[in-house]
């Protein structure tokens, strides 16, 4: 375009030049805006000037318009016109091409518009198609689900069929079995029938009792009459009635118990609900409580009237249901409040969760303690059992809790043994001593007796006054009774030691055994035996 | 525990008299009566043939000996051994014989259940009851001995006849809604009669004494149904054991199910005590003294066993029966209530070596006892809550709520305990082997766990 611009500008230049060179009619063909004119005039100044006109002409590609004839710059009008004509042609062609191009541009813009339209249309179509596709997918999925469920139901149906077939087959086998059994029995019957028909000698059935028995209850049997029939019927109905009565009694008792329990439940629920301070919904509760109290009064007086009144029963059950509902709502409210944990609580409800938590804590502690206790007990039990298996320790541990007492007992026993031994020793000593004593006594007595004899025999008829009278009393007796003399003498000096002597020497032949008895008496009288100490000394002699 | 010496018996016929004073045993064709406390032989009777069935009369004065092959019944008196009585059924045959509750009548069931002949020992009179039903339990006497219920089958329909045992007067005769009546049983208080259908249909009917239908119970349809039924001694519960391995308890007020006891292969509850019998060969000096070890003196070659407690969950050995065969070994076949109705012992045929003990107050499982072999017989002590059981080996097992004991029966040749019964006063326990009999005295003072 620059070329055309320059061409047009050059044309201007030439035009200007021609203006300068006096060709004004060319101006009409050139309707350039004044700006370009201005430009061309500017260009004119740069592109061509007086000195390089031929060069400019040449550079424009035009044949030289001058004929080099002389120094005058006479312009070849023909070639100039030719140039102008060529320029105009050029210009026309350019315009033509511009028109063509404008036309083409219009066309292309039209086609672009139409293409845009088709694009939007196709996009819409695409959208539609996509939506349809998703719809179809959805349907396919649903159909697949349906297929699966149908398959499942088919499977279950098949299973059921299978089960039914099994049942049918088991029933069939059972029927077959029964049939066979019946057939076998029938065959046996037929055989037996044949046998009976053939066998003429039929054995008659008979009973052979050595003597008739009496009835078990001792009563006489009665004839079958209508009275007995009636009696039997009566007995049967009595049995049935008795059974029904007992059952009814049981049910009555049960009912009474249940009613009591229900009443108690109701009372307790009322108590729980009325103990709460009136809350937001306090009015309703109060009303309910009041109505229930009224009911309580009614119920108590109705109780005595009719226990089976359906009305009373319904009232009771309805009352209980109502209370339970209230209690439930109350508990739900408490729960929600506990969850919220807000500050709107009144003291009661605030304390409630705390109380419950405290109680829970207490209960948990108790449970833990119990568990520990149980574990300890189990542990001990296990120990004990394991200990039982060990024979060595078992015997040891058998009376472990009696050791102290056993020790005491052992010590006591030891002391007692020691005492017993000492007693034995002493007893032996005593017996020996007693034996010796008795022997000495014996000899002494004998000597005395002989001495006395001598004395007596040697003595004068005048008795010694010193001799006690008791002596004379005993003088007539035998020698064997000198012991009494001795004893009488001994009496003079009442010493306990001498007392048993009487017993000792009284039966002279039986001296030996008497010695033994004497020992105990001796010991006794010697009062060596302290009763409370020497209880173990058996008088075994 | 002390054991008496071993005596001979045949056919497992060994019964204690109802008053508890005498013990009668059958050895081939002889009947031996002993005194229970001294085991001295008091009487010896000889029958004409091998004894098939033996029964005491209710007043403990007479013993009935039935010889089915020869269709003879002989009755012996304890007071007068010379007294004799012989009942000959003749060519009509004999399949069952029993006393009536008054001890003066004998009911003989002829072959093919053609009729029941009622013989009176007082009057020598005879009565006949026609069309008795040949089923598992077709006759039952009420506990007070006043009434007899009999199942009858006529024209392909089931009937129940209620007789007054006093004079055999037919009190009531009514049709039952069963397809094929399998059994009937009076409640212990004598007011309700439970009637159940065969295993092809689950149906239990309850009739009042006067013949009114009180209630019908059917747990499910089509599968095999009722296998066994038992009343609790207090008449409060009716336990029904069925082929689906469950026990259903009905209550006597509404006759509706109040509990259902299941017998799963795995016991998961932690409140249940599971006792497992563990056998070990005795080696000298290696005995463990655990809480549950009690062994009686026995030969070194025998296996000693003790009970171990296993914590839950425990797996039970299950035997799947052949489904194509009839009367499959599946389902609860035996039920027994303890005498105070506190416990119920059950046995599921799938797990034949396991006994389940249920607490009826809590309606839950109390204990599970797993033995080394299939349990053959178990019975509750008539006075205390004690369960005795045997598995066919040489031991007898006792369960109490406090523990479990396994005791070896001392004998020279090895005494295989096949059956056991308690004395009516609770002690001793009579153990029956194949051909032998032994008494076991359990002193409650020295019982250990």
């Amino acid at each position: 375009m620059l070329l055309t611009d320059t061409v047009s500008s050059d044309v201007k230049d030439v035009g200007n030049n021609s203006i300068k060179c006096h060709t004004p009619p060319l101006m009409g063909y050139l309707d350039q805006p004044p700006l370009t004119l201005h430009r061309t005039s500017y260009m004119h100044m740069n592109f061509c000037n007086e000195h390089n006109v031929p060069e400019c002409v040449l550079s424009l590609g035009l044949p030289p318009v001058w004929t080099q004839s002389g120094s005058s710059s006479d312009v070849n009008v023909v070639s100039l016109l030719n140039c102008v004509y060529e320029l105009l042609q050029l210009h026309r062609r350019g315009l033509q091409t511009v028109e063509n191009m404008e036309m083409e541009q219009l066309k292309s813009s039209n086609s672009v518009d139409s293409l845009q339209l088709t694009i939007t249309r196709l996009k819409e179509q695409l959208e539609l198609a996509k939506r349809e596709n998703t719809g179809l997918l959805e349907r396919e999925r649903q159909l697949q689900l349906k297929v699966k469920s149908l398959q499942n139901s088919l499977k279950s149906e098949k299973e059921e069929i299978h089960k039914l077939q099994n049942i049918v087959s088991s029933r069939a086998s059972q029927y077959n079995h029964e049939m066979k059994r019946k057939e076998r029995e029938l065959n046996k019957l037929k055989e037996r029938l044949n046998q009976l028909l053939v066998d003429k000698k039929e054995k008659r059935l008979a009973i052979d009792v050595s003597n008739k028995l009496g009835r078990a209850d001792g009563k006489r049997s009665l004839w079958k009459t209508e009275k007995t029939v009636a009696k039997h019927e009566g007995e049967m109905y009595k049995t049935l009635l008795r059974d029904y009565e007992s059952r009814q009694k049981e049910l009555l008792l049960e009912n009474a118990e249940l009613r009591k329990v229900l009443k108690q439940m109701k009372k307790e629920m009322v108590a729980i609900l009325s103990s709460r301070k009136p809350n937001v919904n306090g009015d309703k509760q109060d009303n309910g409580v009041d109505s229930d109290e009224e009911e309580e009064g009614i119920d108590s007086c109705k109780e005595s009237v009719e226990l089976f009144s359906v009305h009373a029963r319904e009232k009771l059950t309805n009352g209980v249901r109502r209370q339970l509902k209230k209690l439930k709502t109350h508990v739900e409210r408490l729960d929600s409040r506990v969850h919220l944990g807000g500050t709107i609580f009144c003291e009661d409800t605030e304390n409630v969760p705390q109380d419950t938590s405290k109680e829970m804590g207490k209960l948990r502690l108790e449970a833990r303690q119990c568990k520990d206790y149980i574990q300890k007990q189990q542990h001990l039990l296990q120990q004990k059992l394991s200990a039982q298996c060990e024979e060595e320790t078992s015997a040891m541990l058998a009376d472990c809790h009696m050791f102290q007492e056993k020790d005491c007992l052992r010590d006591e026993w030891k002391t007692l043994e020691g005492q017993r031994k000492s007693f034995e020793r002493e007893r032996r000593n005593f017996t020996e001593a007693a034996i010796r004593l008795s022997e000495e006594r014996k000899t002494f007595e004998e000597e005395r007796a002989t001495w006395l004899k001598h004395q007596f025999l040697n003595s004068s008829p005048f008795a010694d006054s010193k001799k006690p009278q008791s002596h004379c009393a005993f003088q007539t007796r035998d020698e064997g009774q000198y012991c009494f003399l001795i004893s009488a003498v001994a009496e003079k000096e009442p010493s306990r030691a001498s007392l048993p002597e009487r017993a000792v020497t009284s039966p002279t032949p039986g001296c030996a055994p008497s010695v033994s008895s004497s020992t105990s008496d001796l010991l006794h009288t010697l009062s060596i035996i302290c009763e409370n100490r020497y209880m173990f000394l058996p008088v075994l002699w | 525990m002390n054991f008496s010496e071993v005596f001979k018996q045949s056919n497992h016929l060994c019964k204690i008299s109802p008053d508890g004073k005498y013990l009668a045993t059958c050895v081939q064709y002889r009947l031996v009566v002993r005194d229970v406390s001294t085991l001295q032989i008091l009487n010896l009777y000889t029958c004409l043939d091998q004894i098939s069935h033996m029964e005491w009369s209710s007043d403990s004065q007479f013993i009935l000996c039935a010889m089915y092959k020869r269709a003879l019944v002989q009755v012996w008196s304890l007071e007068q051994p010379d007294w004799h009585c012989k009942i000959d059924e003749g060519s009509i045959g004999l399949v069952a014989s029993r006393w009536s509750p008054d001890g003066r009548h004998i009911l003989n069931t002829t072959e093919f259940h053609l009729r029941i002949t009622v013989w009176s020992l007082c009057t020598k009179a005879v009565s006949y009851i026609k069309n008795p039903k040949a089923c598992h339990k077709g006759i039952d006497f009420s506990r007070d001995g006043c009434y007899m219920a009999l199942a009858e089958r006529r024209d392909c329909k089931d009937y129940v006849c209620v007789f007054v045992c006093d004079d055999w007067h037919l009190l009531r005769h009514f049709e039952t809604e069963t397809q094929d009546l399998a059994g009937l049983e009076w409640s212990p208080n004598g007011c309700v009669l439970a009637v159940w259908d065969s295993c092809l249909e689950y149906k239990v009917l309850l009739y009042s004494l006067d013949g009114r239908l009180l209630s019908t119970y059917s747990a499910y349809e089509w599968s095999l149904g009722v296998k066994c039924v038992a009343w609790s001694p207090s008449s409060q519960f009716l336990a029904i054991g069925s082929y689906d391995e469950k026990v259903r308890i009905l209550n006597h007020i509404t006759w509706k199910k109040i509990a259902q006891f299941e017998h799963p292969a795995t016991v998961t509850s932690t409140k249940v005590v599971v006792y497992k019998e563990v056998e070990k060969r005795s080696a000298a000096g290696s005995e463990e003294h655990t809480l549950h070890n009690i062994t009686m003196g026995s030969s070194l070659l025998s296996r000693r066993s003790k009970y171990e407690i296993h914590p839950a969950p425990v797996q039970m050995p299950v035997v799947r029966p052949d489904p194509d065969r009839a009367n499959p070994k599946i389902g609860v076949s035996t039920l027994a209530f303890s005498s105070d109705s506190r416990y119920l012992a059950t046995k599921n045929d799938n797990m034949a070596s396991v006994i389940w003990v249920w607490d009826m107050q809590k309606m839950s499982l109390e204990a599970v006892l797993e033995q080394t072999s299939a349990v053959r017989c178990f019975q509750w002590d008539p006075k205390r809550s004690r369960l005795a059981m045997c598995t066919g080996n040489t031991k007898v097992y006792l369960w109490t709520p406090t523990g479990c004991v396994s005791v070896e029966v001392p004998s020279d040749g090895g005494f295989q305990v096949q059956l056991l019964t308690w004395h009516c006063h609770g002690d001793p326990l009579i153990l029956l082997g194949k051909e032998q009999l032994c008494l076991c005295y359990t002193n409650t003072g020295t019982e250990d766990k």
Side-chain angles (χ1 to χ4, degrees):
Chain A
M1 292 309 275
L2 189 63
L3 187 62
T4 50
D5 262 352
T6 48
V7 167
S8 57
S9 62
D10 284 339
V11 168
K12 293 293 153 321
D13 292 344
V14 173
N16 286 343
N17 260 351
S18 63
I19 287 169
K20 268 186 183 178
C21 301
H22 310 305
T23 53
L26 282 174
M27 292 294 282
Y29 289 98
L30 314 158
D31 50 348
Q32 296 284 336
L35 200 61
T36 41
L37 208 67
H38 199 66
R39 197 156 50 105
T40 46
S41 58
Y42 178 69
M43 292 286 284
H44 159 69
M45 282 171 59
N46 285 336
F47 179 62
C48 184
N49 47 29
E50 290 164 356
H51 302 296
N52 57 355
V53 171
E55 285 93 5
C56 292
V57 170
L58 279 172
S59 69
L60 284 176
L62 297 165
V65 293
W66 285 286
T67 48
Q68 292 291 29
S69 57
S71 57
S72 64
S73 51
D74 282 336
V75 179
N76 197 346
V77 178
V78 173
S79 52
L80 188 74
L81 280 173
N82 285 336
C83 293
V84 166
Y85 176 69
E86 274 180 41
L87 284 171
L88 282 173
Q89 291 281 13
L90 274 173
H91 179 68
R92 240 181 253 136
R93 267 187 244 128
L95 283 176
Q96 194 80 36
T97 51
V98 163
E99 265 183 47
N100 291 339
M101 288 180 82
E102 277 183 353
M103 202 65 110
E104 275 186 41
Q105 204 218 353
L106 262 176
K107 276 190 207 163
S108 59
S109 68
N110 276 340
S111 62
V112 161
D113 281 337
S114 64
L115 281 170
Q116 290 257 6
L117 276 172
T118 50
I119 280 171
T120 49
R121 199 165 33 88
L122 287 169
K123 271 192 185 161
E124 279 172 19
Q125 275 186 3
L126 186 67
E127 280 287 324
L128 264 172
K130 272 190 189 162
R131 252 183 261 136
E132 265 185 52
N133 194 23
T134 50
L136 285 168
L137 277 171
E138 182 67 32
R139 250 182 70 193
E140 194 191 317
R141 195 177 59 83
Q142 278 178 351
L143 285 170
Q144 284 222 355
L145 278 172
K146 211 167 157 189
V147 159
K148 235 184 257 173
S149 68
L150 282 171
Q151 276 177 344
N152 282 342
S153 61
L154 179 70
K155 208 167 53 171
S156 62
E157 291 290 319
K158 277 191 183 155
E159 275 174 20
E160 211 178 303
I161 285 172
H162 191 67
K163 209 170 55 164
L164 284 170
Q165 276 176 340
N166 282 345
I167 288 171
V168 162
S169 69
S170 71
R171 284 178 78 86
S173 60
Q174 194 77 22
Y175 280 131
N176 286 335
H177 177 80
E178 296 277 318
M179 279 281 286
K180 280 186 195 141
R181 198 163 58 88
K182 292 232 150 59
E183 215 178 297
R184 262 182 254 132
E185 206 169 318
L186 185 68
N187 286 333
K188 266 201 286 184
L189 260 174
K190 281 188 191 161
E191 276 175 34
R192 174 53 80 85
L193 188 65
N194 280 330
Q195 198 187 30
L196 283 171
L197 287 171
V198 165
D199 190 9
K200 292 293 173 187
K201 276 194 298 180
E202 255 189 47
K203 280 188 273 179
R204 297 233 164 214
L205 48 85
I207 180 167
D208 169 30
V209 188
S210 51
N211 50 286
K212 287 192 228 174
L213 298 169
R215 274 166 62 100
D217 52 0
K219 291 191 216 148
R220 289 172 63 174
S221 58
L222 305 160
W223 292 107
K224 272 193 195 163
T225 56
E226 276 175 9
K227 250 191 4 187
T228 51
V229 169
K231 200 175 76 160
H232 287 312
E233 293 275 323
E235 286 286 330
M236 178 189 80
Y237 284 121
K238 264 191 227 165
T239 326
L240 276 175
L241 279 171
R242 228 178 296 137
D243 178 58
Y244 282 130
E245 269 174 18
S246 67
R247 225 192 286 171
Q248 202 207 16
K249 253 187 250 173
E250 275 173 26
L251 287 171
L252 270 176
L253 282 169
E254 223 182 295
N255 270 352
E257 284 272 337
L258 288 169
R259 211 176 276 126
K260 247 193 280 175
V261 168
L262 261 177
K263 280 217 181 100
Q264 209 178 4
M265 269 171 63
K266 204 175 97 166
K267 252 191 251 177
E268 278 176 17
M269 278 197 276
V270 165
I272 289 169
L273 288 169
S274 57
S275 70
R276 300 274 163 234
K277 276 197 205 157
N279 298 322
V280 183
N281 302 328
D283 294 317
K284 279 195 209 157
Q285 276 186 355
D286 281 335
N287 285 343
V289 167
D290 288 333
S291 66
D292 284 324
E293 281 171 0
E294 279 177 30
E295 267 188 27
E296 285 282 331
I298 294 168
D299 274 333
S300 58
C301 61
K302 261 201 178 172
E303 208 179 308
S304 52
V305 174
E306 263 293 347
L307 283 172
F308 306 108
S309 150
V310 175
H311 187 58
R313 198 169 63 223
E314 272 179 18
K315 251 195 174 170
L316 180 63
T317 48
N318 287 338
V320 168
R321 271 200 212 108
R322 222 181 309 130
Q323 293 303 317
L324 198 60
K325 227 190 288 177
K326 280 183 204 151
L327 194 66
K328 214 171 82 175
T329 50
H330 188 75
V331 168
E332 277 168 5
R333 234 183 293 130
L334 285 173
D335 274 339
S336 61
R337 278 181 189 167
V338 164
H339 282 309
L340 287 173
T343 54
I344 321 165
F345 303 162
C346 58
E347 280 179 4
D348 255 352
T349 49
E350 247 185 343
N351 285 336
V352 164
Q354 278 182 24
D355 286 338
T356 48
S357 62
K358 259 190 241 168
E359 275 195 47
M360 286 288 286
K362 252 190 270 172
L363 286 168
R364 274 198 206 104
L365 192 68
E366 254 188 78
R368 229 178 294 138
Q369 281 174 347
C370 289
K371 265 190 216 162
D372 291 332
Y373 187 61
I374 289 169
Q375 270 181 1
K376 251 186 265 172
Q377 288 222 336
Q378 267 184 347
H379 190 59
L380 282 169
L381 192 70
Q382 284 226 351
Q383 271 185 348
K384 187 158 187 207
L385 287 167
S386 58
Q388 271 177 0
C389 299
E390 303 163 15
E391 287 181 16
E392 294 133 15
T393 52
S394 64
M396 239 175 52
L397 295 168
D399 304 311
C400 56
H401 50 274
M402 305 249 279
F403 274 157
Q404 208 179 9
E405 279 122 319
K406 274 202 170 162
D407 281 334
C408 295
L409 274 169
R410 236 177 280 141
D411 293 333
E412 270 186 38
W413 198 253
K414 262 187 223 151
T415 53
L416 288 167
E417 279 287 327
Q419 282 167 4
R420 195 163 75 86
K421 279 190 193 127
S422 59
F423 297 151
E424 292 262 332
R425 256 182 279 119
E426 280 172 12
R427 194 198 290 162
R428 250 181 275 125
N429 294 337
F430 287 142
T431 50
E432 281 169 17
I435 290 164
R436 259 186 282 119
L437 199 61
S438 65
E439 279 176 9
E440 280 176 12
R441 278 264 151 82
K442 219 165 123 187
T443 49
F444 178 66
E445 295 302 324
E446 282 171 9
E447 281 176 15
R448 212 177 183 185
T450 48
W451 182 80
L452 277 171
K453 218 162 106 183
H454 282 127
Q455 270 266 326
F456 197 61
L457 290 167
N458 300 335
S459 69
S460 61
F462 298 107
D464 196 1
S465 60
K466 282 190 184 167
K467 286 189 196 149
Q469 277 187 357
S470 54
H471 268 278
C472 306
F474 294 123
Q475 274 169 18
T476 51
R477 298 216 185 153
D478 299 339
E479 275 185 5
Q481 291 184 354
Y482 285 142
C483 54
F484 289 111
L485 276 170
I486 299 157
S487 59
V489 167
E491 272 177 13
K492 265 176 110 177
E493 314 146 353
S495 71
R496 281 151 100 195
S498 61
L499 275 172
E501 285 172 24
R502 200 189 315 177
V504 172
T505 52
S506 49
T508 36
C511 250
S514 61
V515 167
S516 55
S517 58
S518 77
T519 324
S520 57
D521 293 333
L522 172 73
L523 288 167
H524 188 71
T525 50
L526 286 173
S527 73
I528 300 164
I529 301 169
C530 179
E531 278 182 13
N532 52 350
R533 270 193 76 203
Y534 298 168
M535 59 187 164
F536 288 120
L537 264 179
V539 186
L540 290 172
W541 306 90
Chain B
M1 272 189 215
N2 297 322
F3 289 88
S4 73
E5 56 178 270
V6 172
F7 303 109
K8 274 220 195 92
Q9 53 88 10
S10 64
N11 240 348
H12 294 148
L13 288 171
C14 168
K15 296 211 174 110
I16 298 246
S17 64
D19 61 0
K21 289 194 207 149
Y22 310 107
L23 170 71
T25 46
C26 291
V27 185
Q28 298 296 324
Y29 56 90
R30 280 209 190 88
L31 175 68
V32 181
V33 178
R34 293 172 199 273
D35 183 274
V36 160
S37 38
T38 61
L39 293 177
Q40 298 279 347
I41 296 182
L42 296 173
N43 278 318
L44 186 67
Y45 307 99
T46 312
C47 293
L48 297 167
D49 195 12
Q50 189 175 33
I51 303 172
S52 324
H53 176 71
M54 183 259 292
E55 198 177 321
W56 282 93
S57 68
S58 53
D59 57 357
S60 306
Q61 291 302 312
F62 299 95
I63 304 175
L64 170 160
C65 296
M67 292 141 265
Y68 295 152
K69 282 203 194 106
R70 288 198 39 188
L72 279 174
V73 175
Q74 279 185 284
V75 186
W76 304 102
S77 161
L78 236 61
E79 261 182 332
Q80 304 173 20
D82 309 328
W83 186 89
H84 67 270
C85 169
K86 187 173 78 166
I87 300 173
D88 189 358
E89 284 290 339
S91 48
I92 204 149
L94 183 68
V95 288
S97 179
R98 54 171 62 84
W99 280 105
S100 72
D102 64 355
R104 295 290 179 269
H105 294 84
I106 292 175
L107 286 87
N108 286 341
T109 312
T110 64
E111 209 170 347
F112 306 115
H113 282 76
L114 287 175
R115 64 164 189 244
I116 291 182
T117 327
V118 183
W119 298 92
S120 164
L121 296 176
C122 307
T123 62
K124 290 214 266 184
V126 185
S127 342
Y128 300 110
I129 302 174
K130 284 199 280 193
N131 303 319
K133 182 147 189 208
C135 55
H136 176 64
K137 191 164 180 212
I139 296 187
D140 194 33
F141 292 102
S142 65
R143 209 159 280 200
D144 53 4
C146 293
Y147 303 104
M148 175 180 95
L150 176 80
E152 190 189 5
R153 181 96 179 170
R154 234 191 300 153
D155 302 329
C156 305
K157 281 196 225 150
D158 290 316
Y159 298 87
V160 168
C161 310
V162 180
F163 290 93
V164 180
C165 292
D166 224 8
D167 54 1
W168 305 106
H169 159 70
L170 179 65
L171 188 69
R172 284 285 185 276
H173 180 85
F174 50 90
E175 189 184 342
T176 62
E177 293 168 12
T178 50
Q179 293 281 340
D180 186 11
L181 199 153
L184 40 77
E185 191 163 332
W186 287 105
S187 67
N189 63 5
C191 296
V192 181
L193 182 70
V195 168
W196 59 92
D197 214 333
S198 74
C199 58
L200 288 168
E201 185 162 344
Y202 193 126
K203 207 185 229 179
V204 176
L205 298 155
L206 290 137
Y207 290 93
S208 157
L209 175 58
D210 56 347
R212 285 174 300 124
L213 174 65
L214 293 171
S215 174
T216 312
Y217 178 71
S218 172
Y220 51 80
E221 281 192 303
W222 306 122
S223 288
L224 292 180
V226 175
K227 199 157 186 188
C228 66
V229 169
W231 282 99
S232 79
S234 59
S235 307
Q236 281 175 311
F237 305 114
L238 179 68
I240 305 170
S242 49
Y243 279 88
D244 65 344
E245 304 178 52
K246 290 190 191 129
V247 175
R248 291 171 178 87
I249 309 282
L250 306 185
N251 76 88
H252 72 307
I253 298 179
T254 59
W255 301 115
K256 297 252 186 297
K257 177 182 89 168
I258 54 167
Q260 182 167 297
F261 297 152
E262 305 197 4
H263 299 80
T266 316
V267 175
T268 50
S269 162
T270 49
K271 294 188 190 154
V272 177
V273 184
V274 180
Y275 293 98
K276 191 167 165 151
E277 191 197 357
V278 165
E279 265 190 1
K280 53 174 188 139
R281 275 216 188 84
S282 64
S286 72
E287 281 187 340
E288 297 168 281
H289 290 281
T290 66
L291 274 176
H292 310 284
N293 187 1
I294 288 275
T295 51
M296 299 291 288
S298 56
S299 63
L300 281 171
L301 295 170
S302 74
R303 288 175 171 213
R304 288 192 184 161
S305 75
K306 62 176 176 120
Y307 277 107
E308 280 179 355
I309 291 189
H310 281 233
V314 181
Q315 195 81 18
M316 301 291 153
V318 177
V319 176
R320 280 255 156 261
D322 188 3
D324 291 330
R325 296 192 62 173
N327 296 325
K329 279 213 176 311
I330 190 172
V332 179
S333 64
T334 332
L335 294 170
F337 274 97
S338 68
S339 52
D340 52 2
S341 304
R342 175 82 196 268
Y343 297 105
L344 171 67
T346 64
K347 182 180 127 178
N348 186 3
D349 279 347
N350 292 31
M351 311 165 212
S353 58
V354 180
I355 298 281
W356 308 67
V357 182
W358 307 83
D359 186 331
M360 294 307 286
Q361 281 185 357
K362 297 179 215 154
M363 291 288 173
S364 65
L365 186 58
E366 168 94 5
V368 176
L369 288 86
E370 192 187 325
Q371 314 291 126
T372 47
S373 47
V375 174
R376 293 198 51 162
C377 175
F378 60 92
Q379 208 180 72
W380 286 98
D381 185 327
K383 296 284 177 204
R384 290 174 211 94
S385 298
R386 271 198 300 193
L387 181 68
M389 66 196 109
C390 63
T391 62
N393 58 12
T394 55
K395 298 184 195 67
V396 71
Y397 306 93
L398 275 177
W399 176 87
T400 61
T402 46
C404 215
V405 153
S406 111
V407 183
E408 177 107 17
V409 178
S411 69
D412 301 322
F415 187 101
Q416 309 270 347
V417 184
Q418 293 180 343
L419 274 178
L420 44 77
T421 41
W422 286 94
H423 187 276
C424 48
H425 298 322
D427 196 47
L429 176 63
I430 298 147
L431 307 169
L432 298 172
K434 195 152 163 271
E435 300 273 327
Q436 292 161 319
L437 138 82
C438 176
L439 273 82
C440 168
Y441 297 91
T442 59
N443 304 320
T444 38
T446 57
E447 208 175 277
D448 231 312
K449 291 163 285 290

